[in-house]
Amino acid sequence: MTTNNPHALSVFEALESEVRSYCRGWPTVFDRAQGARLTDEDGHSYLDFFAGAGSLNYGHNNPVLKRALIDYIERDGITHGLDMATTAKRAFLETFENVILRPRDLPYKVMFPGPTGTNAVESALKLARKVKGRESVVSFTNAFHGMSLGSLAVTGNAFKRAGAGIPLVHGTPMPFDNYFDGQVPDFLWFERLLEDQGSGLNKPAAVIVETVQGEGGINVARAEWLRALQDLCHRQDMLLIVDDIQMGCGRTGGFFSFEEAGIVPDIVTLSKSISGYGLPMSLCLFKGELDVWEPGEHNGTFRGNNPAFVTAAATLDAYWADGQMEKQTLARGEQVEQALLAVGEEHPEAGVQVRGRGLVWGMKFADSARATTVCRGAFELGLLVETSGPESEVVKVLPPLTVSSAELDEGLQILAKAVRDTA
């Protein structure tokens, strides 16, 4: 289903940097999108099981959110507001408090850093260091937290880290859940280093973790592991930061991915789907006693994206006021899990491992190259899926939360055929 127009991609190849990536796996020019489908300029339709890397949990051009956005723009509502008080920001904050924070008894202050996920992570790291007066931050193997220097320092991927061009310091990796296949007790190495004055580990200010490592290969932390991590942080006077940029906003079922474990992180980062519409927006949430910022100590020109506040508030009202979204996501997740397990049973030679939560799932192939081949074949059949993992060995299934059961079945059948075609 590549484009029939030989000149369609020429300007991108001639003018755009070689750093571009997604367009190489999906070599066509997209023109329109609605719900779980995109259409290219030649009229080919694609089911989207990538959802803007998790920034389109409610689908493309969601009609409820689009209406709220159009109404706001047509009345000349504020577009760019820095951190000024606006009616759009007030509406978002009130809705976020009433629909999300208060029902969950979460004691968070809300900070608006720059509009991207890595901006939120940078602010979280900076705040933790300021509060504790220490530089070191512990992260985990196969973590991904962003592409700016502070975020890269707590990211595991060697290829991404190499792009920094300078030493990435003050970050120390520890084994993620099940890194040693259950052969080593949880946190044995971490706690031994903390207690040994000769270990060489500087006392960390914080630990940053994803409950499900998306870019790292759909590695799912057990609830008991997360609870033990929180307990370790409390005992060792370290702050616990949960990076919920991709797994928050309902991706795993609950609005926050850590809800299932029953923990309350000190700091939480959100971005991607917090605006609901794909508009750039991020939040750094933290317990009130951690709010030690001086005015203007951390800021950014585009942290006041008011159209994003409008769609974010509309999203919370439409999808999170009654609890139905969580139930639907868990049901759709079971549908995905069963379909992927069936694919693995059909292809024992592939050594498929299926893992995930809610509506984020992965199929790991014993032959890492096969995952890329499957994604390429799926595109030719009209389905967008991407790889993840340190060797791109996992096919990542990340559809919109609003995908219908029929669309989900259609896409999963395409994916099964793509696997079959590579056998």
Side-chain angles (χ1 to χ4, degrees):
M1 282 194 175
T2 53
T3 180
N4 294 323
N5 183 350
H7 304 294
L9 298 174
S10 59
V11 67
F12 305 106
E13 294 167 351
L15 197 58
E16 192 176 1
S17 166
E18 293 299 318
V19 78
R20 66 193 189 279
S21 59
Y22 295 119
C23 57
R24 298 179 189 274
W26 303 325
T28 191
V29 179
F30 295 104
D31 182 47
R32 292 174 290 112
Q34 213 293 309
R37 295 184 187 273
L38 292 94
T39 305
D40 69 15
E41 63 182 354
D42 295 321
H44 298 135
S45 177
Y46 300 82
L47 269 172
D48 183 4
F49 279 19
F50 183 61
S55 61
L56 294 165
N57 281 3
Y58 312 95
H60 295 268
N61 290 305
N62 183 292
V64 175
L65 312 185
K66 180 166 62 175
R67 185 71 265 160
L69 180 60
I70 290 172
D71 289 346
Y72 183 75
I73 292 172
E74 285 185 338
R75 74 167 186 81
D76 291 332
I78 299 291
T79 296
H80 181 275
L82 295 166
D83 70 355
M84 295 184 290
T86 65
T87 55
K89 184 197 280 189
R90 179 174 61 199
F92 167 72
L93 285 170
E94 290 174 346
T95 306
F96 191 67
E97 180 179 30
N98 293 332
V99 175
I100 302 300
L101 296 181
R102 190 175 293 160
R104 292 163 178 79
D105 197 27
L106 292 173
Y108 294 138
K109 297 287 290 292
V110 179
M111 176 183 177
F112 298 98
T116 72
T118 198
N119 294 142
V121 170
E122 295 284 358
S123 64
L125 299 176
K126 187 187 289 187
L127 178 61
R129 288 169 170 141
K130 180 177 173 66
V131 168
K132 292 299 182 183
R134 308 178 208 134
E135 297 175 348
S136 177
V137 173
V138 165
S139 57
F140 291 94
T141 49
N142 290 310
F144 179 82
H145 296 291
M147 298 297 286
S148 50
L149 294 181
S151 301
L152 273 178
V154 291
T155 286
N157 187 285
F159 174 71
K160 306 290 188 188
R161 290 174 62 89
I166 61 171
L168 297 172
V169 296
H170 308 309
T172 303
M174 290 292 165
F176 191 71
D177 190 14
N178 205 37
Y179 188 73
F180 293 112
D181 299 320
Q183 299 301 305
V184 178
D186 295 339
F187 307 115
L188 175 66
W189 172 243
F190 190 2
E191 194 147 22
R192 184 72 58 85
L193 290 179
L194 288 170
E195 294 174 351
D196 182 359
Q197 295 301 306
S199 70
L201 175 65
N202 294 333
K203 181 77 171 182
V207 174
I208 185 168
V209 67
E210 304 154 275
T211 68
V212 180
Q213 295 181 327
E215 298 306 309
I218 318 301
N219 305 312
V220 182
R222 293 166 297 138
E224 55 267 33
W225 187 86
L226 293 168
R227 287 192 290 270
L229 176 60
Q230 177 177 256
D231 181 62
L232 176 61
C233 287
H234 288 171
R235 286 188 285 106
Q236 296 287 347
D237 187 34
M238 303 178 295
L239 297 177
L240 176 60
I241 304 169
V242 167
D243 180 342
D244 238 0
I245 287 165
Q246 187 169 84
M247 297 304 155
C249 301
R251 177 53 60 180
T252 64
F255 186 83
F256 295 105
S257 71
F258 55 82
E259 291 180 48
E260 181 186 41
I263 64 173
V264 180
D266 299 293
I267 304 175
V268 180
T269 59
L270 289 175
S271 186
K272 290 194 182 285
S273 276
I274 186 60
S275 81
Y277 202 74
L279 299 175
M281 176 178 172
S282 74
L283 304 177
C284 184
L285 312 176
F286 40 83
K287 294 178 177 178
E289 64 269 23
L290 304 181
D291 195 6
V292 298
W293 293 114
E294 296 290 334
E297 191 174 8
H298 184 90
N299 56 23
T301 303
F302 292 102
R303 65 197 185 281
N305 184 357
N306 280 250
F309 297 155
V310 170
T311 54
T315 298
L316 298 180
D317 277 332
Y319 293 102
W320 290 100
D322 61 5
Q324 292 306 305
M325 176 57 71
E326 180 174 355
K327 294 177 183 177
Q328 176 177 299
T329 297
L330 294 176
R332 299 281 192 269
E334 290 179 9
Q335 184 179 349
V336 175
E337 181 181 17
Q338 294 307 310
L340 298 188
L341 288 171
V343 170
E345 291 174 1
E346 183 182 348
H347 300 279
E349 83 289 347
V352 172
Q353 295 179 23
V354 175
R355 54 210 191 195
R357 276 180 61 197
L359 268 176
V360 52
W361 288 88
M363 279 196 303
K364 179 182 177 182
F365 289 87
D367 175 7
S368 59
R370 188 166 180 179
T372 298
T373 305
V374 167
C375 289
R376 188 178 301 120
F379 170 75
E380 294 296 332
L381 295 168
L383 176 69
L384 304 184
V385 284
E386 252 293 326
T387 60
S388 70
E391 298 178 356
S392 298
E393 73 277 20
V394 178
V395 174
K396 184 179 183 180
V397 178
L398 200 75
L401 305 184
T402 52
V403 67
S404 71
S405 180
E407 289 171 325
L408 201 52
D409 185 59
E410 179 186 349
L412 291 168
Q413 288 186 37
I414 292 174
L415 183 57
K417 184 178 187 321
V419 176
R420 203 173 297 123
D421 290 348
T422 64

